[in-house]
Amino acid sequence: REEVVNFKRSLMRIFLYLHLSSLFQAWSLVPSSILNDRKHRDLVIVDGVLGGTWRRIKDVVRRRHRREKSSENFETSVENTLPAKIEHIPVAFPAFEEEDVVDELSLSDVLLEIDELHRTKQYIEALRRLDELVEDGESSAEVLWRLARVCCDLSDKASNDIEKEKFVRKGLAAAETAVKNDPESGLASKWYGIMLGLVADFESVKVKIKNSQKIKDALDHANQKLPNDPTVKLALGQWSLKLAGIGFIERQVAKTFFAAPPQASYKDALHFFEESHALKPSPRTSSLIKLTKKKIRLT
């Protein structure tokens, strides 16, 4: 407790040392009727920085000058210099009150913070911040595709299929709404295509086939808007790889939904994987390139 008291006293000394000149300048603003009142010898100020508490200026100033002057000389100088009684001084430094709260961050600032959380792999906190925005009524594509992105990352880290499906479907719903709200957004289309591809693991063959063209359309649009995005190239490569490897039965089912079912080859997949690797080399794309080349040789 004594250390806390000493710390507060030291803090007050530093504060008064920095702002004493501002206080003396402020006296000129005090009404003459107050300055001429010599009945009282107390000078008190509102200390806004320390929460609006009242301080006796003579006592604190005396501590500051104790080493420089004797107590008797200092008392005389204060009595002759300071006004008799001042009930309020409009000091030059700001008083921080509850209403002087910093303005709320703009949406762009919040999204920058969320992007930093994502970059540092703090996915749970990023998800919490995005959920708060959505609960507050924010429905812009910029918010929703980021929600899809973090759900995609969390689905990769899920401990079981139930948890994984929950994140995938949540991300898909967010991405789908993002595309509806901003059809021209390349990032919304990108994450819509990716989440459609992920949800295929939890759908029937019929639904997978029906969604295959939606995936291709979304990723093609994203590729047009974001020609240098390696993730889009990677997703297109994976889509081509899966489609090239579907069996005879699935192909026959596809004909019942499409007059001309979507098609892709292993060479298409290799092309996209190589483009993705050129933009951003990674062990994953390197492995996919090797796998695709092997499948090309076998066929």
Side-chain angles (χ1 to χ4, degrees):
R1 181 180 179 84
E2 184 177 354
E3 291 179 355
V4 173
V5 172
N6 291 335
F7 173 76
K8 290 182 177 179
R9 288 174 178 172
S10 299
L11 185 63
M12 192 61 189
R13 293 191 191 102
I14 294 171
F15 173 80
L16 288 172
Y17 180 81
L18 294 175
H19 295 288
L20 191 58
S21 60
S22 297
L23 294 175
F24 280 94
Q25 292 175 5
W27 294 332
S28 62
L29 302 175
V30 180
S32 59
S33 60
I34 294 178
L35 291 175
N36 292 332
D37 182 5
R38 314 298 289 188
K39 294 180 181 180
H40 303 283
R41 295 294 179 178
D42 289 336
L43 172 64
V44 291
I45 64 171
V46 177
D47 178 5
V49 173
L50 296 180
T53 58
W54 293 85
R55 302 294 183 191
R56 296 173 60 92
I57 190 65
K58 283 198 303 181
D59 292 340
V60 182
V61 174
R62 182 185 294 113
R63 285 196 290 270
R64 175 176 170 248
H65 289 278
R66 186 171 291 163
R67 295 183 180 179
E68 301 177 8
K69 298 182 180 181
S70 65
S71 299
E72 182 179 355
N73 291 337
F74 177 66
E75 180 70 24
T76 302
S77 65
V78 170
E79 293 290 326
N80 294 335
T81 304
L82 300 181
K85 179 183 177 183
I86 299 179
E87 296 179 352
H88 174 70
I89 292 180
V91 292
F93 49 90
F96 300 103
E97 300 179 359
E98 290 186 7
E99 58 268 23
D100 298 326
V101 180
V102 178
D103 292 339
E104 291 185 4
L105 292 173
S106 66
L107 177 60
S108 59
D109 292 330
V110 174
L111 293 180
L112 285 175
E113 292 181 354
I114 291 172
D115 287 341
E116 180 61 19
L117 290 171
H118 183 267
R119 187 188 67 81
T120 54
K121 302 185 186 306
Q122 299 180 60
Y123 301 135
I124 296 296
E125 178 61 17
L127 178 64
R128 185 188 69 78
R129 297 286 298 276
L130 288 163
D131 280 340
E132 286 180 352
L133 289 175
V134 173
E135 289 172 3
D136 290 340
E138 184 56 57
S139 60
S140 69
E142 291 295 309
V143 170
L144 294 174
W145 71 252
R146 284 176 169 84
L147 179 56
R149 177 181 65 179
V150 77
C151 286
C152 177
D153 291 315
L154 288 170
S155 71
D156 285 340
K157 298 182 177 298
S159 58
N160 55 68
D161 287 344
I162 295 176
E163 187 180 39
K164 181 181 179 70
E165 183 178 1
K166 180 188 73 172
F167 284 124
V168 168
R169 293 196 180 279
K170 179 174 181 174
L172 175 59
E176 188 172 16
T177 305
V179 170
K180 289 179 181 178
N181 292 349
D182 187 0
E184 295 302 311
S185 171
L187 287 166
S189 294
K190 166 185 172 178
W191 289 104
Y192 179 50
I194 289 173
M195 299 312 294
L196 271 176
L198 291 178
V199 83
D201 293 339
F202 307 100
E203 302 288 12
S204 65
V205 173
K206 183 184 293 187
V207 175
K208 287 180 183 179
I209 293 172
K210 290 179 68 174
N211 285 343
S212 61
Q213 189 61 51
K214 293 181 182 179
I215 296 171
K216 184 64 162 56
D217 291 342
L219 294 177
D220 279 344
H221 181 258
N223 193 36
Q224 181 183 358
K225 295 288 186 177
L226 309 167
N228 296 318
D229 189 318
T231 306
V232 174
K233 308 287 188 186
L234 176 62
L236 280 166
Q238 291 175 319
W239 180 88
S240 300
L241 184 65
K242 287 183 179 180
L243 197 62
I246 65 173
F248 174 79
I249 296 177
E250 290 173 317
R251 290 185 186 277
Q252 295 304 310
V253 174
K255 291 180 180 179
T256 65
F257 294 102
F258 305 103
Q263 296 183 1
S265 66
Y266 290 125
K267 289 184 178 180
D268 294 330
L270 179 61
H271 168 73
F272 287 122
F273 290 145
E274 287 178 337
E275 283 192 334
S276 176
H277 194 72
L279 290 167
K280 185 180 179 181
S282 71
R284 184 179 184 183
T285 51
S286 180
S287 297
L288 287 169
I289 288 171
K290 292 178 181 178
L291 173 65
T292 308
K293 286 181 176 179
K294 181 178 180 180
K295 288 183 176 294
I296 291 174
R297 288 196 301 268
L298 292 175
T299 55

